[in-house]
Amino acid sequence: MLLTTTKYILMHFKNNKYKEIEKDLLKALKDYGDDRVGDTIELMNVSFTLNNNGAFNNRRSNYKYAKEFFKWIKSGDTDLTDKLKKMNPHAQKFVDTTNLPENFSSSYGWKIKKQLPDIIDELKRNPNTRRAYLSILLENDKVILGKQTTHEFPCTIGIQFLLRNCETELCIIVNMRSNNVWNVLPYDVYNFTQLQDYIATKLGVRSGEYMHTVNSLHIYKRDLKDINRYLEQEHNESLKEYNKNK
């Protein structure tokens, strides 16, 4: 489903399967301009809702890497594991602290581990709470701005956890300042739905809706060839499935 306003972009997608949402997002992106990294195609103010039923995979992403990455986040460590470095040699640059204060880290893991006990306690004490908010982008992270560094400035602003449907489901809303649909979004959705499942289990409830809002949703023009090829393959696969089920 797609809802739009007239002058300003406001889009919302809803589906039971992540791969369908991802295809809709890729198709909907339009040429908006350049950002500091390079040529992009951007949509502003985009959101989607996914029923967290385990159908968060697409056909192209490396979910072995995603699983290992979530283990690292859950550990709270700031140094990448040797296994992650081997699986993705480029990942190290995002935690490199060159030109930054000693012991600085913008990594998600330690922030989540530090705040999680209070989030779970708040949800247990007050199931109707709207205060169970986990902050990822912190004031200290702004030290990165203006520095010559490859250290990642967090793309995630924060995550809100809500017990709804008569306190039987844990719903979450993820707030993103920026999201690359092609290279990053699949892993964000995997990690945050895993976090949702983890907290739901701690609370003794099931995972409900997963909601994801993005200020700047984008792809890079250099990836367009691969994206077009992927969408064509997905279209052909859908046709095969349709014809098989006729």
Side-chain angles (χ1 to χ4, degrees):
M1 178 177 68
L2 168 62
L3 306 176
T4 61
T5 60
T6 52
K7 186 175 179 181
Y8 298 100
I9 299 168
L10 170 59
M11 292 188 174
H12 183 78
F13 300 81
K14 187 168 185 177
N15 203 295
N16 291 332
K17 296 179 179 179
Y18 168 73
K19 70 173 185 177
E20 298 302 326
I21 286 176
E22 183 185 79
K23 286 189 289 185
D24 286 340
L25 293 173
L26 289 169
K27 291 172 185 175
L29 279 157
K30 71 174 186 177
D31 195 352
Y32 185 80
D34 299 338
D35 71 2
R36 69 178 181 84
V37 180
D39 287 344
T40 64
I41 299 171
E42 178 191 60
L43 286 172
M44 296 187 295
N45 196 16
V46 179
S47 66
F48 63 83
T49 300
L50 176 69
N51 289 331
N52 188 350
N53 56 7
F56 46 72
N57 291 22
N58 57 31
R59 300 179 203 262
R60 62 184 182 84
S61 298
N62 184 349
Y63 286 100
K64 286 184 180 179
Y65 174 75
K67 187 176 181 180
E68 193 64 28
F69 197 86
F70 179 69
K71 280 171 61 180
W72 175 63
I73 286 178
K74 217 168 103 175
S75 74
D77 290 340
T78 56
D79 294 326
L80 289 176
T81 64
D82 290 338
K83 192 170 182 180
L84 278 174
K85 291 177 187 177
K86 187 175 180 181
M87 294 175 84
N88 182 6
H90 300 291
Q92 181 61 34
K93 69 179 182 181
F94 297 116
V95 296
D96 183 82
T97 54
T98 302
N99 297 325
L100 294 173
E102 190 177 358
N103 298 322
F104 174 80
S105 174
S106 69
S107 300
Y108 293 16
W110 70 268
K111 298 171 183 176
I112 291 173
K113 189 172 184 178
K114 184 178 180 180
Q115 297 174 67
L116 214 50
D118 290 337
I119 296 290
I120 293 171
D121 286 347
E122 172 67 14
L123 289 164
K124 285 180 177 178
R125 279 196 312 267
N126 180 10
N128 295 319
T129 187
R130 291 180 287 274
R131 297 178 179 179
Y133 193 87
L134 195 157
S135 298
I136 300 293
L137 181 58
L138 305 179
E139 181 69 23
N140 290 345
D141 292 325
K142 293 182 182 178
V143 73
I144 297 171
L145 300 176
K147 299 290 194 303
Q148 291 293 320
T149 180
T150 58
H151 198 99
E152 183 178 25
F153 190 76
C155 294
T156 308
I157 299 168
I159 310 167
Q160 186 166 9
F161 300 87
L162 300 161
L163 278 171
R164 293 296 182 263
N165 293 336
C166 300
E167 301 169 20
T168 63
E169 293 183 349
L170 179 68
C171 300
I172 73 170
I173 303 172
V174 177
N175 304 122
M176 307 287 299
R177 66 167 186 85
S178 178
N179 234 177
N180 181 339
V181 179
W182 185 242
N183 293 322
V184 181
L185 181 63
Y187 300 101
D188 285 339
V189 171
Y190 177 87
N191 283 309
F192 294 140
T193 53
Q194 290 296 299
L195 182 62
Q196 180 183 14
D197 290 344
Y198 174 77
I199 297 176
T201 300
K202 290 285 186 183
L203 296 172
V205 299
R206 62 180 178 267
S207 291
E209 288 189 326
Y210 172 90
M211 290 155 275
H212 193 101
T213 66
V214 189
N215 296 345
S216 170
L217 188 85
H218 57 271
I219 54 175
Y220 289 95
K221 291 180 181 178
R222 63 175 180 261
D223 294 321
L224 271 176
K225 188 175 179 180
D226 290 334
I227 290 169
N228 289 333
R229 186 185 302 117
Y230 171 71
L231 290 173
E232 185 177 353
Q233 289 170 349
E234 285 294 305
H235 177 69
N236 291 337
E237 287 294 326
S238 297
L239 281 179
K240 283 182 187 176
E241 288 178 18
Y242 173 77
N243 290 329
K244 187 168 70 175
N245 296 324
K246 279 175 69 174

